[in-house]
Amino acid sequence: MGKTIAQKIFETHVAEKPFTDTWVLKLDRVFCHEITTPVAITDLVERGKDRVFDATKIKAVIDHVTPAKDSKTALQGKILRDWAKRNNVKDFFDIGANGVCHAIFPEKGFVRPGFTVIMGDSHTCTHGAFGAFAAGVGTTDLEVGILKGVCSFKEPKTIRFILNGKLPEGVFAKDVILYIIGQIGVNGATNCVMEFAGPIVEAMSMEARMTICNMAVEAGATSGICMPDMTTVEYLWPFIKDDFSSKEEALAEYSKWISDPDAVYEKVYTYDLSNLEPLSTFGYKPDQVKSIKEMVGTKVDQVYIGSCTNGRIEDLRAAAQVLKAALKEGKHIAEGVRGILSPATPAIYQKALEEGIISTFMEFGFCVTNPTCGACLGMSNGVLAEKEVCASTTNRNFNGRMGKGGMVHLMSPASAAATAITGTISNSLLYKG
């Protein structure tokens, strides 16, 4: 019987199996940020266990509230900063060098096919785009991971999503994952791995694959995962070129992390997305999804473009193309609408500067902020007032997610840009550029 990629990763990383369905896995990476890790650090210190299993396998960043907005968030940053220094964690990204965790860690080449990755953050599933098993964990599991380099999981069950066809113009990875979540529901993949395959996934960039894996948790999944291929190798090549004589050799090595043709799945969903339309959420759950054309005219107070879901350079390019077309028509941000752009990392910010993307956003009327997660979870840099509405490229539309009493409509960067033009939810195809 064949095996899924998740089964292959589990079998090659197992440290022990204390129970029939419980696997204790050796970890390749433990990622940390200043919101969840300080709790684990404080507990380890109190227990007299202020140490790490391998400082080279731990990566840390201050990203959720940066720079600090008050004494509490300053303390959280200080706890992480001091801990990293005490334990010789070299890959620590502080103010000025920091970016959104699920964007900067892949950008630095820290994730490879076949890796096991944990972090005290639910959207750690993003890193499965590289053919890795990556999962968000709670404080206790994070502590054990930091201290011992292991983490326990239930036996992996995988749901396969075969995405056929070719995406129409104006439809992006964000629309794909919103469609899937809308089809299976927020509990549709609970305690499972969502494996994405098919022509549409094969044609996606690594940025797009990270977008669909990022929101796997919104369907209840432990992790999202894509098969490594030459696109993966090309993205990682600057970091792996000394390990392989050629890209073809790297691909051959990474191809062992591909699910077997006769692998057994819990379920298999097959979708032809050739006629998929731009989508948006409409309620307080990620599976409450409608087409943009059904949402046209819905008033917004704020448009937010950024986050670990859609703050990468191709996301900014897609949005900027829409805004450029509007600027040519003499249009600017709609009256009464706040536009906020937060590139996900300093490198993305710099690239956007070089390409004139930042100037496009600013000319249009957007506020451009430093890389941060702040607005996504209602902590800083774009919190909503009660009854305000935001068109957002983030990943959650829970009640109060971006501010108490606020409403969030999730959509692609292109759709969000079009919405900034009119002040109401709009289709980006009206502004093709």
Side-chain angles (χ1 to χ4, degrees):
M1 184 188 304
K3 298 171 183 176
T4 66
I5 180 175
Q7 288 172 324
K8 291 180 179 183
I9 293 172
F10 270 53
E11 290 181 2
T12 54
H13 286 76
V14 63
E16 61 175 307
K17 290 182 66 176
F19 308 104
T20 304
D21 64 342
T22 301
W23 298 60
V24 178
L25 304 183
K26 291 174 283 188
L27 299 173
D28 293 299
R29 294 287 184 266
V30 176
F31 293 155
C32 303
H33 63 56
E34 90 283 9
I35 298 299
T36 58
T37 309
V39 179
I41 292 170
T42 300
D43 190 55
L44 287 169
V45 170
E46 290 176 353
R47 294 172 182 270
K49 299 182 182 298
D50 183 22
R51 57 184 183 272
V52 301
F53 80 102
D54 186 336
T56 67
K57 294 183 178 181
I58 292 178
K59 318 295 180 182
V61 65
I62 294 176
D63 66 348
H64 274 58
V65 183
T66 172
K69 66 183 178 70
D70 53 28
S71 296
K72 181 180 178 181
T73 53
L75 177 59
Q76 288 175 306
K78 178 175 170 52
I79 291 171
L80 188 68
R81 186 178 295 116
D82 292 348
W83 167 79
K85 185 175 182 179
R86 288 196 309 271
N87 288 284
N88 200 33
V89 176
K90 297 297 185 185
D91 291 317
F92 169 62
F93 301 93
D94 207 337
I95 308 300
N98 56 342
V100 175
C101 55
H102 306 309
I104 198 167
F105 291 153
E107 185 180 270
K108 297 293 184 181
F110 294 154
V111 187
R112 311 286 169 82
F115 270 21
T116 50
V117 182
I118 66 166
M119 186 177 194
D121 188 289
S122 57
H123 293 104
T124 308
C125 49
T126 306
H127 307 288
F130 291 85
F133 175 78
V137 298
T139 301
T140 300
D141 284 334
L142 181 60
E143 285 187 45
V144 174
I146 289 170
L147 186 64
K148 295 293 185 179
V150 297
C151 189
S152 64
F153 294 95
K154 294 293 184 182
E155 184 174 357
K157 296 179 180 179
T158 300
I159 301 175
R160 185 173 174 86
F161 295 83
I162 303 172
L163 309 182
N164 293 324
K166 181 180 179 182
L167 294 182
E169 183 182 4
V171 175
F172 300 89
K174 183 62 160 286
D175 302 300
V176 171
I177 192 60
L178 286 176
Y179 174 81
I180 291 171
I181 297 169
Q183 291 296 303
I184 69 172
V186 292
N187 297 315
T190 300
N191 297 326
C192 291
V193 173
M194 293 175 73
E195 181 184 295
F196 301 105
I200 284 178
V201 179
E202 292 165 7
M204 284 182 172
S205 64
M206 286 309 303
E207 288 87 348
R209 294 177 192 183
M210 282 188 263
T211 293
I212 61 173
C213 287
N214 175 271
M215 290 189 65
V217 69
E218 311 308 337
T222 302
S223 186
I225 202 163
C226 298
M227 303 299 105
D229 58 11
M230 187 54 79
T231 300
T232 318
V233 172
E234 291 282 359
Y235 185 98
L236 290 173
W237 190 245
F239 311 102
I240 63 174
K241 60 185 178 182
D242 294 334
D243 300 329
F244 301 99
S245 61
S246 67
K247 293 177 182 178
E248 288 70 26
E249 182 186 344
L251 179 60
E253 172 64 21
Y254 290 155
S255 291
K256 68 184 181 183
W257 304 112
I258 293 176
S259 295
D260 296 326
D262 57 342
V264 177
Y265 296 92
E266 287 295 296
K267 295 178 183 177
V268 177
Y269 293 97
T270 302
Y271 302 117
D272 187 331
L273 303 183
S274 300
N275 297 314
L276 185 63
E277 298 181 20
L279 302 175
S280 169
T281 57
F282 64 88
Y284 292 112
K285 291 167 59 185
D287 61 359
Q288 294 179 304
V289 178
K290 290 182 179 179
S291 67
I292 289 287
K293 69 182 181 183
E294 294 176 276
M295 298 287 288
V296 165
T298 302
K299 185 181 181 301
V300 304
D301 302 285
Q302 178 171 293
V303 172
Y304 182 80
I305 297 175
S307 83
C308 62
T309 315
N310 285 126
R312 298 177 179 84
I313 191 64
E314 74 172 31
D315 300 312
L316 275 57
R317 287 171 180 155
Q321 182 179 6
V322 175
L323 300 184
K324 281 182 182 178
L327 284 168
K328 287 179 181 178
E329 297 176 5
K331 296 179 180 178
H332 294 82
I333 195 164
E335 185 177 352
V337 175
R338 308 181 301 274
I340 301 171
L341 169 67
S342 179
T345 71
I348 293 167
Y349 199 124
Q350 184 65 42
K351 186 69 172 174
L353 276 170
E354 294 168 359
E355 294 183 13
I357 290 172
I358 297 298
S359 62
T360 295
F361 272 92
M362 294 185 72
E363 182 182 352
F364 187 77
F366 268 69
C367 165
V368 181
T369 81
N370 61 290
T372 178
C373 303
C376 177
L377 65 165
M379 296 190 76
S380 64
N381 285 49
V383 178
L384 299 176
E386 191 168 356
K387 296 184 179 179
E388 284 194 322
V389 178
C390 182
S392 179
T393 67
T394 54
N395 43 41
R396 285 194 173 142
N397 58 331
F398 300 163
N399 192 355
R401 170 72 175 179
M402 291 184 74
K404 183 179 179 181
M407 166 66 79
V408 179
H409 296 297
L410 306 177
M411 61 187 68
S412 75
S415 295
T419 299
I421 298 167
T422 62
T424 61
I425 292 179
S426 299
N427 192 330
S428 66
L429 289 177
L430 296 173
Y431 306 92
K432 294 182 181 180

